[in-house]
Amino acid sequence: GNSVTQMEGPVTLSEEAFLTINCTYTATGYPSLFWYVQYPGEGLQLLLKATKADDKGSNKGFEATYRKETTSFHLEKGSVQVSDSAVYFCALKSGGTSYGKLTFGQGTILTVHP
Amino acid sequence: GAVVSQHPSRVICKSGTSVKIECRSLDFQATTMFWYRQFPKQSLMLMATSNEGSKATYEQGVEKDKFLINHASLTLSTLTVTSAHPEDSSFYICSARDANPGGATGELFFGEGSRLTVL
């Protein structure tokens, strides 16, 4: 079956530090990959996505590249801000009869200090 | 982006009672909605897929008689936790797929979640 594994948190960084949150996956076929962000008290929001190998998703300074050879989709940001503090979820969506269902990683809590 | 609203955001109930959680798509029609459960420090677990006008499809291990799902309209799905017990305490999140531009390619939008505490 499909699965997503994220690096365990929590991750604590100082403002302007470099961020990497690792994500690897197991899936049949060619899944689409996503990063979702959940700010305190809010629902999940799509941060970025990539639908095929070597695609790079980017948004708000975050980026992630779909690496089929390493089955990875690591999230990176060059300079984090306090407002980036949130929970980040890596997810995949596979096709076929299960189309539309998302499989999530366990989430990584990011805290950025001034 | 599109908005999905859940209500209530928090609910506390006594063991043995039933609780209903609503999920509404506010500015789009959703033929399909998904219900997730999130345990503390754990991932979201898909419980069921709710299709408008038909029975929900439950994931393996999810008791359909305990977690009743109704998707009576294109903008509303409800999850009823029947005869709730303390182990049902959790964070329940719904997501909805915009029926337009149509098909399974529509983006998923998530509600803010509902925290259920069963005493």
Side-chain angles (χ1 to χ4, degrees):
Chain A
N2 297 335
S3 67
V4 177
T5 302
Q6 288 179 236
M7 67 181 287
E8 292 208 18
V11 175
T12 303
L13 295 173
S14 297
E15 205 164 25
E16 299 184 1
F18 184 87
L19 168 71
T20 299
I21 301 178
N22 289 339
C23 171
T24 57
Y25 68 90
T26 303
T28 55
Y30 304 94
S32 295
L33 302 174
F34 305 82
W35 276 100
Y36 282 85
V37 58
Q38 184 178 31
Y39 297 103
E42 299 182 18
L44 275 73
Q45 301 173 26
L46 178 63
L47 180 60
L48 54 84
K49 67 179 180 182
T51 57
K52 60 183 187 296
D54 299 324
D55 267 3
K56 177 185 284 188
S58 61
N59 185 27
K60 300 181 180 180
F62 291 89
E63 59 181 34
T65 301
Y66 188 144
R67 301 287 188 198
K68 195 172 190 302
E69 64 276 14
T70 55
T71 61
S72 65
F73 193 54
H74 304 321
L75 182 68
E76 297 181 336
K77 185 173 185 180
S79 177
V80 293
Q81 305 299 314
V82 172
S83 57
D84 293 327
S85 298
V87 184
Y88 292 82
F89 292 91
C90 185
L92 71 82
K93 182 168 70 174
S94 57
T97 57
S98 64
Y99 196 97
K101 296 181 182 179
L102 288 174
T103 300
F104 287 89
Q106 68 270 41
T108 302
I109 299 172
L110 171 65
T111 302
V112 181
H113 293 297
Chain B
V3 177
V4 175
S5 177
Q6 280 185 241
H7 177 79
S9 58
R10 292 179 182 270
V11 57
I12 301 173
C13 70
K14 294 182 178 180
S15 186
T17 61
S18 295
V19 174
K20 180 184 286 187
I21 300 171
E22 294 185 345
C23 177
R24 293 181 183 274
S25 56
L26 297 186
D27 50 2
F28 67 98
Q29 293 183 330
T31 53
T32 303
M33 291 184 174
F34 302 90
W35 285 96
Y36 294 85
R37 183 173 178 176
Q38 184 180 24
F39 293 96
K41 299 183 179 180
Q42 293 190 32
S43 181
L44 282 74
M45 180 193 76
L46 180 64
M47 300 175 64
T49 302
S50 169
N51 297 299
E52 187 267 337
S54 64
K55 291 183 178 180
T57 303
Y58 289 82
E59 296 300 302
Q60 191 172 11
V62 177
E63 300 176 62
K64 60 181 181 181
D65 293 331
K66 181 165 189 61
F67 298 100
L68 300 180
I69 292 173
N70 183 280
H71 194 156
S73 77
L74 287 172
T75 59
L76 173 64
S77 176
T78 60
L79 167 67
T80 301
V81 183
T82 63
S83 186
H85 291 282
E87 57 266 30
D88 298 326
S89 298
S90 192
F91 195 57
Y92 294 88
I93 301 175
C94 73
S95 70
R97 183 162 62 213
D98 193 340
N100 295 305
T105 58
E107 181 178 340
L108 287 175
F109 299 96
F110 285 80
E112 62 271 60
S114 300
R115 184 165 299 284
L116 169 64
T117 303
V118 184
L119 303 177

